Amino acid sequence: MAPVAGPSASRSTHDYTEGASPIDINRAFTNSRRPSELSVYNDDEGTMFSGPGHSVNPSSVTRMSNLDSSRRSWSRSRRRSHDSGVSGRPSIERRLSQDSQHTQDSRQITEGEDVNIETRRHSFRGRRRRSPSPPARSSVLGNLANLFTKPQVHQDGRRLSISSGRSSTSLSRRSSRVDADSDYAIETEDEERWGYSSGEEDSEEDVSERDDTSMARSMDYDSEPPSPTMSQGLPLLASDPVFGGESRIEMEFSFTELEPPPPGPPSRQQIYVEEDDSTIRLVGYEVIPWRQWLWRTSCVLTFGLLGLLGHWFPRLWLGFVTHEKAFKDIKQGFVVVESSNRDVVLVSLHRLAYSYPIATVFPPRLLGQVLSTPLQHDPEGTYDAETKMLRSLLVISYRYSRFALDPRDGLFYVMRNWRDPSWTSSSLLQSGLQQNVRSQRATLFDKNEINIEAKSTVALLIEEVIHPFYVFQIASIILWSLDDYYYYAFCIFAISVGSIVTTLIETKKTITRMREMSKFSCKVTVLVDGAWVEMDSVNLVPGDVVNLTTSQLSLIPADMFLLAGDAILNESMLTGESIPVSKIPVKDEDLVKWKDGITENSKSFIYGGTRAIRIRASMVNDGSQGHPALALVARTGFDTTKGALVRSMLFPKPIGFKFYRDSVRFIGVLAGIAMLGFSISAVQFVRIGLKWQTILIRALDLITVVVPPALPATLSIGTSFAIARLKKHGIYCISPSRINVAGKINVCCFDKTGTLTEDGLDILGVRPLDRNVNRFGELLDDIHDLPLGKDKASFLHALATCHSLKMVEGDVVGDPLDAKMFEFTRWTLEEGTIGRTGVVKTKSGAVTEQTALVQTVVRPPGSAQFKLEDALKGNAKRAHFLELGVIRMFEFVSSLRRMSVIVKRLKSNSMEIYVKGAPEVMMDICEKDSFPEDYDDLLSYYTKRGYRVIAMAGKSIEGLSWLKAQRMSREQAENKLKFLGLIIFENKIKPGTAPAIQALRTAHLPCRMITGDNPLTAVSVARECGLVNQAAYVFSPSFLRGDTTTPDAEVEWTSMDDPMWKLDGYCLKPLPPPPHHTAEGVEIGYHDYSLVISGDVFRWMINYAPLETLQRMLVKTQVFARMSPDEKNEVVERLQSLGYTVLMCGDGANDCAALKAADVGISLSEAEASVAAPFTTSTPDIGCVLELIKEGRSALVTSFSCFKYMALYSLIQFTTVTLLYSFASSLGDFQFLYIDLFIIIPIAVTMGRTLPYPYVYYKRPTASLVSKKVLSSIIGQIVITSAVQIWAYLWVRGQEWYTPPPSPDTKDGSNQLESTNFENSVLFLLSCFQYILVAGVFSIGPPYRKPMWTNMLLMLALSCLTLFNLLVLLSPPQAIVKLLTLMIIPLEGRLKLLLAVAVNMGLCIVYEWIGSTLVAGIVGQMIQWKKRNRRIRESGGKVYKIVEGGMR
């Protein structure tokens, strides 16, 4: 339950409104409902002061909107239809990207009409909703029947989807500005080199809007492996948790090409889903009954094989059974939803009984535009055009998002952004909803609950079993049973059953945990039909008015607008930061913007799932509670912010990795080798005269030999052990597939405050002014030493009042910087629960709001024990009788980098205005003569030493009444101020920072700092921790002409130590230093200087700088200062575009966007929102970065080792079986069982247990299976082992004691081949040693893993197996000889085989250590020689390498 603050009755009320009549007060409050600040100062982020990179209050989606890894700060320009060519529309129309495709035979739409349609599409950009009713649980027979019919049509499509809203025709604006003959401007192959879309060519107005409108509401949290709630109705390898999608490879962001659509109403549509930042395509299909029956018959005849193929490759089924049909004409069909990476999901259509006006679902168009000519075809009679009434409504649910079909144009609209046209005034909304309206909206939006579908065990079992991996296992077991390999088949069956059962148990646990985390309900008081009614929160609908004061809330059950009262919330679920966030009542203009589709103002928006700290009603004159705290429900269920968070966890974006793609291809190569080997053997089988059944079984058996069923499972062994080891270090992973990606990190980015430095700030002291000498006074670390001065606007009063702190249950809460500053004053704080209140009335006289006139009251120490009467009787000048009231506050705005307050002293005739902000901005708002002479010198002194400096200014206005203060604009208040002094904060570096940075730099891993702090402070901290070399020259840019919005602005780079020394503005190389400088131009190398850039210059360079200059800046800059959350995200994405694999480490909050955008994100926050990053650590120290990189490299090398080992094992066994096939022989049942169960599985499992090397090596391991080194190693080992086997095969046939095997009996009914012969025994004994040998060769140790001998379990397994093999070779017990069907070989022959094993071992080891490197080098030289005659402008696709080369 959120505590409700009670009245403060212990004090008399005080009057801060002298000179204002009750009428004036009421009028002022009426005016306060209008914009109270100039538009240029409006800041939707609503952050408290901590620098633009430290957004703290309020937050939520304005920061969480960045969490999408593909989010761009210019994303608004991308939100258009791929095919839209209409320009000049209002930018608001670009929020939805939809593409309805019509043929020439369909209705014609003029360009003007197209504009109208696009406008209409905007109003519903993406409303999520789950299915109207939970799907029935599938029975066993029902699920089995689905295998033989069509792929299962789900109530809610649940498949992974890569999200990309990029335009396929995008071009970089800067590319046209770069000289075509530039040597180093790198243009990557994809058209969208820098993520620009065609929208980049928009008007200047759009460009200026991007910073304010770029943050979309989408939230995406990676969660691997995919949640088991995701139905695998269409299991594609592209979405498999092992071979998942591949975001770090160039992927195809295009849809599958289809035949032209049929004539008539639209049957296709592209929709941009804003919260996922992805474009999906909807295609309507109708089932053809006779083809469906034919398909089912064929499935039966093929024993389900055709059904499985249709399940895995749905387009096969779609092409045979269905035909494309207009959405509104579908009767027995469905809608296929295709994502940008070509994953498809079949979604069923639902028809809701909905007898309400169509405007209740599809409100009137924006900007007064009307729909183009509506479709006349309405076979179902769902809509009456005359009465504009709907009879029914067609909806689909995709990933718990609801899409509704408009019968007028036959297109779907996403319901998440449905808006009520009547939401224009908060006073009009406080009357609540009528019951009939609530019933209508309950049908339209379903229940207000985040209810994840819980599948039955049988359904999960069937989904698991029909996965391609297990289907291959089942087919192999059936084949072995037919081949009389019963023991081996039974063992593999038992292992598979154990694996499936384990997976099901974990899946059920995950489902239960997710459901418990997401589902929430509570009792709320709702205004219905003019009366307050208590109901369950699951019954809330958009438009409900909730009494927060009486609802006993602990968690907010829905997204709401605060209408009255005030609230303090903990939004750590969204931001990772548990700093309380204050909410104020919504203004009418914010409601109008919301109605028109503009993002909500987070200052008055209460996000679902956040925790209520305090909810307080409005106060009346006597200090008691008056009007209750009211809120308007805006979004419910999965449409809420919490719902978006849960959806992003259920459907994470596939991150992919090149290793996985190569492994799938390599398996295909192995299958090809199997077919080649069998083709050779088949000729021999036919010549011998074997039955065709035997030949067929042998062919299939050879495939199971070359492509072992256990291969996919071995790829995750290294990752599993790495995750377990990371947990011991306090590092938790929710995306296992990112472990291997961590092994390829080549740049590390860090936030500063809370990451490199300690979380808290300590005040070193304050520097007031000494007006007598016009210089700064001494540094004061005790507030009692601070003189009050003669002016009314004093430094002490500024420290005590210029903040946004709140009092909750006796504790001061708010921004840590504000809290430290106020604690330094030792004053006491009380919120404005006392004193008179202003009454807001409508024209009719109805009271709509009562608000405290004084927001905050502060008093010096000791005054709290005196009553007011005593204070007024005594000397008013005595400090302990002093009282200051904050009349008005202008909140911190990141673009202005300051906040201000209007303060009135009790019984004073004047009011004072105090401003707190960054020292750089004070020059613009203060009188020049108020600054001391040593201002710049002192500021430079502290910032260069890493201190955080905050400046204070103020002024006094005589005769300023309360009414005038309410009417004053921010520009008027923050003008002609007098500078008061500086506050010096000390931010200490964490003990583990410098050693970790040093270790990373020793490993040749470049480090970057991305912070919201001052550039001088950031550089100082960077130098102190070793991120920037102490001896390096640092250059910083500034505008000589223009600003961040001026295309022709001029930027100058100057040395931070010597302003006379500059960089070349184009190539960013140092110009010759000034004559007095100690450095000489020829001595300044690439590593001798570094760059620091601020957010404003960074933004200008992104938009207007030449491409080559931008690339060089990104590569060379080590400190990115004054970065907003959105710009932090953009830095990460720009680095990725240059080919970097980026690690981002931050403490949550304003880092969330960058953490999600990075290839590997580590959050040092322990809050719930740690799900914003794939990795979280309970120890807030960047030492975790080293551990993660070491484990990532170890896991990656382990995956390679296991894969190489499994490939060699397959090919060794393939060689053995192929040689035996030449005379119709094969390995025996127990021989297969011994090799696969007792040799391969123990070795494969224990290989992954080798610990990572204790130091980070300066080179990264390869991530490609087709690299020169990997291929030369595999191919070389194959040649050596195969050559030894062929020698043994030929050798044994030439021995005196050799007896040829009997000819196969072609009349025998058995399909099993004879295994008792000398060739079999020799090859079996030799190959058993080869399996162990290659395990040792491929167990790579340093520099990425510890030596093999440190892995005790692996050494134990290898030792035991080697000893047992020696026993079987040299002196086999009779029981083993019989069990393994071996022939007795003379001792001389056994010793020769042992010698062959030793030679084999020596050759393999020497080749792996020396030969593979030589071969790889020769191949590399051949490739370079081949490329020598061509101009190659790329280096392995890594643009940054070329850029670095151009700067050296």
Side-chain angles (χ1 to χ4, degrees), residues 61 97 212 224 617 623 664 745 774 930 981 984-985 1043 1077 1258 1294 1328 1346 1363:
V61 177
S97 175
D212 296 329
E224 288 284 350
V664 174
I745 292 299
N774 196 28
S930 67
I984 316 299
F985 290 92
D1043 55 26
H1077 209 281
Y1258 69 91
C1328 285
K1346 286 186 177 180
L1363 291 174

Side-chain angles (χ1 to χ4, degrees), residues 1212-1226:
I1212 290 171
Q1213 197 170 81
F1214 167 74
T1215 304
T1216 303
V1217 173
T1218 302
L1219 290 172
L1220 294 176
Y1221 273 5
S1222 65
F1223 58 95
S1225 179
S1226 183

Side-chain angles (χ1 to χ4, degrees), residues 1020-1060:
S1020 172
V1021 171
R1023 278 178 164 158
E1024 186 178 351
C1025 69
L1027 191 144
V1028 172
N1029 194 316
Q1030 291 280 4
Y1033 304 102
V1034 180
F1035 292 84
S1036 173
S1038 60
F1039 286 107
L1040 280 182
R1041 182 180 69 250
D1043 55 26
T1044 187
T1045 61
T1046 309
D1048 297 328
E1050 184 179 351
V1051 172
E1052 182 182 58
W1053 295 79
T1054 57
S1055 171
M1056 299 184 76
D1057 300 309
D1058 185 355
M1060 300 299 293

Side-chain angles (χ1 to χ4, degrees), residues 596-639:
D596 292 339
I598 300 176
T599 180
E600 67 273 0
N601 184 347
S602 60
K603 298 173 185 175
S604 55
F605 200 79
I606 302 175
Y607 295 96
T610 56
R611 189 171 298 276
I613 296 179
R614 185 188 74 189
I615 295 173
R616 191 172 62 176
S618 303
M619 301 297 166
V620 293
N621 290 344
D622 60 358
S624 61
Q625 294 187 11
H627 204 296
L630 303 179
L632 173 74
V633 177
R635 294 188 293 240
T636 58
F638 276 97
D639 296 343

Side-chain angles (χ1 to χ4, degrees), residues 765-909:
V766 295
R767 295 296 296 257
L769 299 185
D770 187 345
R771 297 291 184 187
N772 296 326
V773 293
N774 196 28
R775 297 178 67 86
F776 278 107
E778 295 296 323
L779 179 70
L780 305 178
D781 56 6
D782 191 332
I783 194 65
H784 294 109
D785 297 333
L786 181 64
L788 282 176
K790 300 178 181 178
D791 297 329
K792 289 188 175 181
S794 71
F795 193 10
L796 174 62
H797 294 174
L799 293 171
T801 58
C802 196
H803 52 72
S804 56
L805 298 174
K806 303 288 183 182
M807 182 69 70
V808 177
E809 295 183 340
D811 296 325
V812 175
V813 296
D815 182 82
L817 184 144
D818 283 347
K820 284 288 184 181
M821 182 183 74
F822 186 72
E823 181 185 343
F824 180 74
T825 66
R826 303 180 188 176
W827 284 38
T828 58
L829 179 144
E830 184 174 345
E831 284 194 68
T833 57
I834 60 176
R836 288 176 48 196
T837 60
V839 179
V840 182
K841 295 184 179 181
T842 62
K843 292 182 179 179
S844 60
V847 176
T848 60
E849 185 176 355
Q850 295 176 329
T851 306
L853 300 179
V854 181
Q855 298 184 21
T856 306
V857 175
V858 295
R859 302 182 183 89
S863 65
Q865 59 188 328
F866 294 94
K867 294 183 179 180
L868 175 67
E869 295 78 19
D870 299 332
L872 295 178
K873 292 176 184 177
N875 185 357
K877 293 183 179 180
R878 290 179 60 187
H880 58 269
F881 296 130
L882 181 65
E883 180 177 301
L884 302 176
V886 177
I887 303 300
R888 190 176 179 195
M889 179 190 303
F890 295 101
E891 294 191 6
F892 174 78
V893 176
S894 60
S895 58
L896 298 176
R897 293 154 56 190
R898 62 178 180 263
M899 70 163 292
S900 56
V901 291
I902 302 178
V903 177
K904 182 168 184 181
R905 180 174 175 174
L906 185 64
K907 294 300 178 182
S908 171
N909 295 324

Side-chain angles (χ1 to χ4, degrees), residues 287-303:
V287 174
I288 304 173
W290 70 268
R291 287 193 176 186
Q292 186 178 34
W293 283 108
L294 181 60
W295 175 272
R296 291 174 177 175
T297 304
S298 302
C299 290
V300 173
L301 295 177
T302 58
F303 301 101

